[in-house]
Amino acid sequence: MKRRLSKRPCAGLLTYASLVAAAVIFTQAFRSPLSAVTLVFVLLLPIAELLCFLISVLFVGGRISDQKPVIGKLESHRCTLRLTNRSILPVSCAELTLSIPDEPGSVCEIRRQTLAIPPLSEVRCDIPLRFRYRGVYTVGVRELLLYDWFRLIRIRKKLHAELTVRVLPSLLPPCGALPAADNGDLQEQSSDRNSQTEFGDIRPYLPGDSFKTIHWKLSSKTEELQIRKYLPESGRTVTIFCDFGGHDGYPFPPDILPCAADRIAEEALSSAREAAAAGYSGKLLWSAPGSPDGLAVTEFTDPNGMTKTALALAEADAVGASAGMSGLPQLNIGSTLLLVTAFRSTRTEEAVRSAVSLFGAERVSVCLCDLSEMLSGDPQSAYRRDLDALSRRLTSSGIRVTVPNRRKQGDRNHES
Amino acid sequence: MKADNMSRPTEQTSRPAATVFQSAKKRSGGAAETVTRALLVFCAVFGLCHLIFDSLSAPTLLVGMAIPTILLWTLISFLLFASKKTAPIGALLAVAVCFLFARLMRETDRDFFRLLAGGAVYLWNQFMIIVDAIGYMTFPLIGETLHETPEAACFLLSMLLCPLFRFAVGKKKTHLFFALLLITGVCAPFLIYNLPNTNIGLCFLLAAIAGLSAMRISEKYTGARSSAAFSGLAALLLSAVLLPIPAMLIREPWRRIDSISSSIDRLVTLVVDLVNGNSATDPDPSLADPIGDRDTTADDRVFRGWEILYAYSDTTAPLYLRNWVGADFDGKAWSAPDTDFVDIESQLGYPSEPYYVTYDMIDAYLTMRLKTGSPETPMISYMQDLNLVTAPVLIYPRSQSRLIAVPYMTAAPLTAPSGSDFSHPYRIVHDGIYLADKNITTTDSYRVMTLIPLSRDHEEISAFLERYLDPSQNSLMNSEARRRNRLYTAQAGLLYDGSGDSDETAGIIRLIVEDDLFRTTDIARFFRSAEFSDKSELPDNAVAVFKNELGQLVCYYPDDRLTLLDKDFIVQTVVSYLASRCRYTLTPQEPTSGNSMEEFLLISKEGYCVQFATAATLILRQLGFHARYAEGYIASSFGPNPTPNGYLYRSTVLDRDAHAWVEVWIDGFGWMQYEVTPGFTDIYSGEYPYGSTPVDTTTPPPDETTTPEESTDTEPPVTTERPPESTVTTPPDTDEPPLTTEMPPSPHDSGGGILLAVFLPLSAGAIALTLFGKRSASRQKRRQALLKAALSGDPARAAAVGAPLTQALFDTLRAFGLIPGDSELPSAFAARADAMLSGIPIGAAPSKAILAIGKQRYGSGMSQDDCRLVATLIRDLTAAAPMRLGKPKFLWNRHVLCLL
């Protein structure tokens, strides 16, 4: 692994230069062998010392033990960072730039530590890992600056002692946000996998296609064999959209937003698991400005295989998400759309209504996450008011709206 | 990467690693810390002690006592200051060591405290000797009740320095600056005047400084003392490996850089002039003439044992180091030859030549050798015949003077010990007197190439000269050498023929020669005699004229056919005559005559080397010799050289080694020295093989009552000699004015060195104070702006000042001694702060402010009210600090540590 070394002179070099100048003047003012010895020593010592320093740098290393790179929210874990000096020369001053979780576990903060590493020894740091919010965190040493004994020079050394920790969103109990779960349509759906009741598309005949799919009428017109492409049973798919960016324009306190994003993700995950348990498959979408179409997607099929979905949700970056749905997802015929949001953003509401107009109210549902317990005072009242109003408006439009009661879970999530 | 979005790039100030990291080597770290600090203390104290004793030329004290003494006191210091449990052990050990020391010294019959006092007296008096040698007034401690105890000096120094340095390296709040200041202050005088003979002490000091610096730097930035000790130990060991290289190789000063040296000289001149009130312009060196007349009046002198110089040689042959010659005698004092008078070119028709009168034979030898191009020339064999060795002699001044003492047969210009040019500008004036433009000091050692006679058999010399001077022997003396010989002979004749002597003195001498010398000795046979009836018929070079029984004038004049042996015999006869006629004493009676020769030869008939040399010179001139009076020093007691500079032997020349002798011009040979003072060894009577083991330098105690019979004894000189007119700066309490004060005010008086020693540390202190002051002022300004922003109530500004305000509060609390523990909870620290700061009139409880800080560090930041609360607390604590902490501590915390 290539290690880049970057050398820079330090302020101590100015002091040393002054010392050399003083020694030279000393030799001229007091013309004695003693002054000459002092000057030669002042010139020789840093050279020898820097040589020792460069040797010791080569033997400095570090690593971080990865005990569990994937953990759950508020789960306590620990990793150990070790810095070793395998040479017989001490490292006088090592300045570490660490990325470690802060005490509440909200973020990884940058912290600088300065320490000395004795020869042939190891220094160890146990880093507690406990995160409040889901996400991907980098813990460990970002940068290592090594100083020589007299701080004349410093060398930047890349240690690659970093650990990527993924914090999964919590698994919430199902809230019944999916419309099919409530009216039992899920069980009444045909389970015949071969039934092809939904016409999807036309394409040219390819050898091996079933003769039953040939569209004879169209083929006679085009004088080429064309076949009908049928869609799978769309009634067993769910598309869940996580509206992370719906707070746009709403005066939420900054520390509320990660919690809100977490709640949205957890509700979405809960709904996805519920759908998967009911035999549905589907995908989770969320706004991702870096993606080609502005959306990030993860699919789910098996209720026991939700880890991949949870990991994808853990990596979902809510910071840059845009409000609403940047584009209506392509819904397969018969599938349902579940919008999970916590905000009463106008754009979100518009997106919902657009979806309703396209797919029909029976296929669109909304899960409103109530974050009012994170607020207090007038903002709380205003928020509740807005949320209730939104719920009423959507409900009056025939849209299924679910407001999960997560009061206990919410309290746990917002422990400080 | 997603993590970048999640990590908040909030940078916090560095905290000591102890709060996060744990070293796996706790026990070894503690041991390393103790060992390192002990080594540092030992090296620093040993270096200082070695520096001091080496400068005082007492290295034997170190060998026997220093190392175990310093080790013991280092151990005691650590025990005393380590903890309350070990302090009693340290105290007991200290008492035991003192008791043991007193028992070891029991032969002195003094108790322990008197021993220590004796050590202090010894150190002080030795220091006064050094101060005196560099030309300042001294205050020696002399008295019946004051005894010097050299052995106790080392014990005393160890006892004082070890705890001091232990305190310096151990205490957390002690800065490296003060330890360095202490070392610099003690070492500065020794280093300035280059007093130590070896570099060992300095090496130990430098190693200790390097180790301490590395350790302190690491401690300052990491806060981990045990780990920092490894750095100190490594730096100490690295220095110990590096330092011997320059210490052993470097024997001479660094090469002179004219631009810097001249600037320094100008600066010193300016400062000295300002202090002394002199004008800023430098006097013309050519106008300054330090060569004054030398009084020959017998007078009492006191010797103090000052060291004048060290002479290093490869033989034990005594060296006559001349620094002054006298040409004309006025009855009381000698004056140096007048070079302006001698104009060889116009008077004798010879081209201009330098007046290196002494270099006759050596010049000829060198010229011949160069021509033959090989050292294996007949010239070398001739030198071997004469048992003359061309050898370097190193002179190391230990006092200041403008006159440079050189061996009498110096063959080449002065050089630095390495062979490069001598560091000081100098001129050869007044027929061989070496005069430096300013005082040469202990840092201006020089080397001369000289011919050292290992033995002098005059028969050999005579035989050599017969061949050498014979014109038919072209290979021996070529035309150039003959020309120069004639030149020098002519010059000697012009300068030293006695024509400048006073008539009164000439009359006295003539009386001595006529009535006594010729009658009592048989040297009259070397002079032609003739009888004249009339005075006008007397030859010009008649040395003795008297009337015979028939009333005729009998005249003696020198026989031109005198050989070297004849001349030598005459001179020796004169020496013997004087020894038989006059008595050597250091305390002659009060003179009654204004003419010192009348007093010496006719009245008191007693005196010392000055009078004997004067009389011999005048008598020899009357006998037709070209003779001159010479002053200088004798380097005679050569012992093994303790300094590893390549020479085998060293002689320490003291003030009592000042001497006077006579030099007689031998045509073709040069100035031949003759010892005329009774009791002193004829320098040619001993055998000194080149590079042999030294002779026994133990001299008998001085005998002031040397009888004439004993004067011919060839034992080494046993009497101390009163110095002639002093060639060094004498203390103001003597009758004779110091030589240097007869000069016009010189910008290079000895005050410059001490002033420099004072000026530089003061300048360094002023610079340090200025830097500290600037730093303190800028920090105060920033702090005020911070508090103003915090108290303003502006929410936007509150967000920006959160972090610096947190640091400011921690600094303020630290000034009051409140430092959060490594694992102390914020709530506990807040409670402790409340308890400790109770009684101080402050607006809000400190605990609230500390908890507010917690929001900054661990939460989303302080609010506007929190900032105001913290700023109020800082302001109140700062206002209460002078009362609570005391003024000195408050100023220290404010201006040096910048905490308040």
PDB file of all heavy atoms in Angstrom, chain B residues 79-98:
ATOM      1  N   LEU B  79      15.658  11.761  45.670  1.00  0.00           N
ATOM      2  CA  LEU B  79      14.918  11.251  46.814  1.00  0.00           C
ATOM      3  C   LEU B  79      14.225  12.375  47.569  1.00  0.00           C
ATOM      4  O   LEU B  79      13.081  12.234  48.011  1.00  0.00           O
ATOM      5  CB  LEU B  79      15.870  10.503  47.758  1.00  0.00           C
ATOM      6  CG  LEU B  79      16.388   9.165  47.243  1.00  0.00           C
ATOM      7  CD1 LEU B  79      17.478   8.634  48.175  1.00  0.00           C
ATOM      8  CD2 LEU B  79      15.276   8.147  47.105  1.00  0.00           C
ATOM      9  N   LEU B  80      14.888  13.492  47.654  1.00  0.00           N
ATOM     10  CA  LEU B  80      14.304  14.597  48.415  1.00  0.00           C
ATOM     11  C   LEU B  80      13.052  15.134  47.752  1.00  0.00           C
ATOM     12  O   LEU B  80      12.097  15.506  48.425  1.00  0.00           O
ATOM     13  CB  LEU B  80      15.327  15.733  48.557  1.00  0.00           C
ATOM     14  CG  LEU B  80      16.387  15.588  49.655  1.00  0.00           C
ATOM     15  CD1 LEU B  80      17.386  16.712  49.560  1.00  0.00           C
ATOM     16  CD2 LEU B  80      15.734  15.559  51.021  1.00  0.00           C
ATOM     17  N   PHE B  81      13.051  15.199  46.433  1.00  0.00           N
ATOM     18  CA  PHE B  81      11.948  15.858  45.759  1.00  0.00           C
ATOM     19  C   PHE B  81      10.964  14.901  45.112  1.00  0.00           C
ATOM     20  O   PHE B  81      10.014  15.327  44.484  1.00  0.00           O
ATOM     21  CB  PHE B  81      12.486  16.801  44.665  1.00  0.00           C
ATOM     22  CG  PHE B  81      13.248  17.963  45.218  1.00  0.00           C
ATOM     23  CD1 PHE B  81      14.624  18.009  45.110  1.00  0.00           C
ATOM     24  CD2 PHE B  81      12.597  18.999  45.853  1.00  0.00           C
ATOM     25  CE1 PHE B  81      15.341  19.069  45.624  1.00  0.00           C
ATOM     26  CE2 PHE B  81      13.308  20.066  46.366  1.00  0.00           C
ATOM     27  CZ  PHE B  81      14.680  20.103  46.256  1.00  0.00           C
ATOM     28  N   ALA B  82      11.221  13.609  45.236  1.00  0.00           N
ATOM     29  CA  ALA B  82      10.335  12.671  44.546  1.00  0.00           C
ATOM     30  C   ALA B  82       8.963  12.617  45.202  1.00  0.00           C
ATOM     31  O   ALA B  82       7.942  12.841  44.567  1.00  0.00           O
ATOM     32  CB  ALA B  82      10.977  11.291  44.536  1.00  0.00           C
ATOM     33  N   SER B  83       8.938  12.315  46.481  1.00  0.00           N
ATOM     34  CA  SER B  83       7.654  12.211  47.159  1.00  0.00           C
ATOM     35  C   SER B  83       7.903  12.390  48.647  1.00  0.00           C
ATOM     36  O   SER B  83       9.041  12.447  49.117  1.00  0.00           O
ATOM     37  CB  SER B  83       7.015  10.849  46.892  1.00  0.00           C
ATOM     38  OG  SER B  83       7.789   9.839  47.495  1.00  0.00           O
ATOM     39  N   LYS B  84       6.812  12.453  49.377  1.00  0.00           N
ATOM     40  CA  LYS B  84       6.938  12.639  50.824  1.00  0.00           C
ATOM     41  C   LYS B  84       7.539  11.409  51.477  1.00  0.00           C
ATOM     42  O   LYS B  84       8.177  11.491  52.523  1.00  0.00           O
ATOM     43  CB  LYS B  84       5.562  12.922  51.420  1.00  0.00           C
ATOM     44  CG  LYS B  84       5.047  14.293  51.065  1.00  0.00           C
ATOM     45  CD  LYS B  84       3.707  14.560  51.714  1.00  0.00           C
ATOM     46  CE  LYS B  84       3.181  15.912  51.275  1.00  0.00           C
ATOM     47  NZ  LYS B  84       1.849  16.180  51.777  1.00  0.00           N
ATOM     48  N   LYS B  85       7.356  10.278  50.860  1.00  0.00           N
ATOM     49  CA  LYS B  85       7.898   9.050  51.460  1.00  0.00           C
ATOM     50  C   LYS B  85       9.403   8.985  51.298  1.00  0.00           C
ATOM     51  O   LYS B  85      10.116   8.501  52.168  1.00  0.00           O
ATOM     52  CB  LYS B  85       7.260   7.842  50.788  1.00  0.00           C
ATOM     53  CG  LYS B  85       5.820   7.633  51.131  1.00  0.00           C
ATOM     54  CD  LYS B  85       5.281   6.381  50.458  1.00  0.00           C
ATOM     55  CE  LYS B  85       3.789   6.273  50.693  1.00  0.00           C
ATOM     56  NZ  LYS B  85       3.183   5.167  49.957  1.00  0.00           N
ATOM     57  N   THR B  86       9.892   9.411  50.179  1.00  0.00           N
ATOM     58  CA  THR B  86      11.334   9.309  49.929  1.00  0.00           C
ATOM     59  C   THR B  86      12.104  10.496  50.464  1.00  0.00           C
ATOM     60  O   THR B  86      13.330  10.431  50.585  1.00  0.00           O
ATOM     61  CB  THR B  86      11.608   9.193  48.421  1.00  0.00           C
ATOM     62  OG1 THR B  86      11.067  10.335  47.766  1.00  0.00           O
ATOM     63  CG2 THR B  86      10.985   7.930  47.852  1.00  0.00           C
ATOM     64  N   ALA B  87      11.438  11.582  50.779  1.00  0.00           N
ATOM     65  CA  ALA B  87      12.144  12.771  51.267  1.00  0.00           C
ATOM     66  C   ALA B  87      12.936  12.491  52.548  1.00  0.00           C
ATOM     67  O   ALA B  87      14.105  12.906  52.654  1.00  0.00           O
ATOM     68  CB  ALA B  87      11.158  13.919  51.471  1.00  0.00           C
ATOM     69  N   PRO B  88      12.366  11.788  53.541  1.00  0.00           N
ATOM     70  CA  PRO B  88      13.188  11.514  54.728  1.00  0.00           C
ATOM     71  C   PRO B  88      14.414  10.666  54.413  1.00  0.00           C
ATOM     72  O   PRO B  88      15.487  10.868  54.982  1.00  0.00           O
ATOM     73  CB  PRO B  88      12.227  10.758  55.656  1.00  0.00           C
ATOM     74  CG  PRO B  88      10.875  11.124  55.191  1.00  0.00           C
ATOM     75  CD  PRO B  88      10.971  11.356  53.733  1.00  0.00           C
ATOM     76  N   ILE B  89      14.240   9.736  53.487  1.00  0.00           N
ATOM     77  CA  ILE B  89      15.387   8.899  53.108  1.00  0.00           C
ATOM     78  C   ILE B  89      16.471   9.771  52.479  1.00  0.00           C
ATOM     79  O   ILE B  89      17.663   9.632  52.773  1.00  0.00           O
ATOM     80  CB  ILE B  89      14.944   7.808  52.111  1.00  0.00           C
ATOM     81  CG1 ILE B  89      13.847   6.941  52.733  1.00  0.00           C
ATOM     82  CG2 ILE B  89      16.119   6.966  51.672  1.00  0.00           C
ATOM     83  CD1 ILE B  89      13.214   5.974  51.784  1.00  0.00           C
ATOM     84  N   GLY B  90      16.034  10.677  51.627  1.00  0.00           N
ATOM     85  CA  GLY B  90      16.993  11.581  51.000  1.00  0.00           C
ATOM     86  C   GLY B  90      17.697  12.448  52.024  1.00  0.00           C
ATOM     87  O   GLY B  90      18.920  12.664  51.956  1.00  0.00           O
ATOM     88  N   ALA B  91      16.943  12.923  52.988  1.00  0.00           N
ATOM     89  CA  ALA B  91      17.553  13.776  54.010  1.00  0.00           C
ATOM     90  C   ALA B  91      18.575  12.989  54.828  1.00  0.00           C
ATOM     91  O   ALA B  91      19.677  13.465  55.119  1.00  0.00           O
ATOM     92  CB  ALA B  91      16.472  14.352  54.913  1.00  0.00           C
ATOM     93  N   LEU B  92      18.209  11.763  55.181  1.00  0.00           N
ATOM     94  CA  LEU B  92      19.143  10.934  55.953  1.00  0.00           C
ATOM     95  C   LEU B  92      20.403  10.649  55.158  1.00  0.00           C
ATOM     96  O   LEU B  92      21.526  10.700  55.685  1.00  0.00           O
ATOM     97  CB  LEU B  92      18.458   9.609  56.315  1.00  0.00           C
ATOM     98  CG  LEU B  92      17.517   9.667  57.517  1.00  0.00           C
ATOM     99  CD1 LEU B  92      16.772   8.350  57.677  1.00  0.00           C
ATOM    100  CD2 LEU B  92      18.283   9.987  58.792  1.00  0.00           C
ATOM    101  N   LEU B  93      20.218  10.348  53.909  1.00  0.00           N
ATOM    102  CA  LEU B  93      21.377  10.073  53.059  1.00  0.00           C
ATOM    103  C   LEU B  93      22.271  11.295  52.939  1.00  0.00           C
ATOM    104  O   LEU B  93      23.505  11.196  52.946  1.00  0.00           O
ATOM    105  CB  LEU B  93      20.881   9.621  51.682  1.00  0.00           C
ATOM    106  CG  LEU B  93      21.944   9.051  50.731  1.00  0.00           C
ATOM    107  CD1 LEU B  93      22.646   7.875  51.354  1.00  0.00           C
ATOM    108  CD2 LEU B  93      21.305   8.651  49.407  1.00  0.00           C
ATOM    109  N   ALA B  94      21.655  12.457  52.845  1.00  0.00           N
ATOM    110  CA  ALA B  94      22.440  13.698  52.742  1.00  0.00           C
ATOM    111  C   ALA B  94      23.290  13.887  53.998  1.00  0.00           C
ATOM    112  O   ALA B  94      24.485  14.214  53.923  1.00  0.00           O
ATOM    113  CB  ALA B  94      21.508  14.891  52.538  1.00  0.00           C
ATOM    114  N   VAL B  95      22.670  13.653  55.137  1.00  0.00           N
ATOM    115  CA  VAL B  95      23.420  13.804  56.394  1.00  0.00           C
ATOM    116  C   VAL B  95      24.566  12.803  56.436  1.00  0.00           C
ATOM    117  O   VAL B  95      25.698  13.130  56.831  1.00  0.00           O
ATOM    118  CB  VAL B  95      22.462  13.623  57.584  1.00  0.00           C
ATOM    119  CG1 VAL B  95      23.244  13.518  58.880  1.00  0.00           C
ATOM    120  CG2 VAL B  95      21.488  14.778  57.650  1.00  0.00           C
ATOM    121  N   ALA B  96      24.271  11.570  56.016  1.00  0.00           N
ATOM    122  CA  ALA B  96      25.312  10.534  56.038  1.00  0.00           C
ATOM    123  C   ALA B  96      26.472  10.905  55.117  1.00  0.00           C
ATOM    124  O   ALA B  96      27.651  10.719  55.463  1.00  0.00           O
ATOM    125  CB  ALA B  96      24.708   9.190  55.617  1.00  0.00           C
ATOM    126  N   VAL B  97      26.153  11.429  53.948  1.00  0.00           N
ATOM    127  CA  VAL B  97      27.218  11.806  53.003  1.00  0.00           C
ATOM    128  C   VAL B  97      28.061  12.933  53.581  1.00  0.00           C
ATOM    129  O   VAL B  97      29.287  12.936  53.474  1.00  0.00           O
ATOM    130  CB  VAL B  97      26.578  12.214  51.658  1.00  0.00           C
ATOM    131  CG1 VAL B  97      27.574  12.935  50.787  1.00  0.00           C
ATOM    132  CG2 VAL B  97      26.047  10.990  50.940  1.00  0.00           C
ATOM    133  N   CYS B  98      27.404  13.892  54.192  1.00  0.00           N
ATOM    134  CA  CYS B  98      28.165  15.003  54.786  1.00  0.00           C
ATOM    135  C   CYS B  98      29.071  14.492  55.900  1.00  0.00           C
ATOM    136  O   CYS B  98      30.225  14.899  56.014  1.00  0.00           O
ATOM    137  CB  CYS B  98      27.197  16.053  55.329  1.00  0.00           C
ATOM    138  SG  CYS B  98      26.250  16.880  54.042  1.00  0.00           S
TER     139      CYS B  98
END
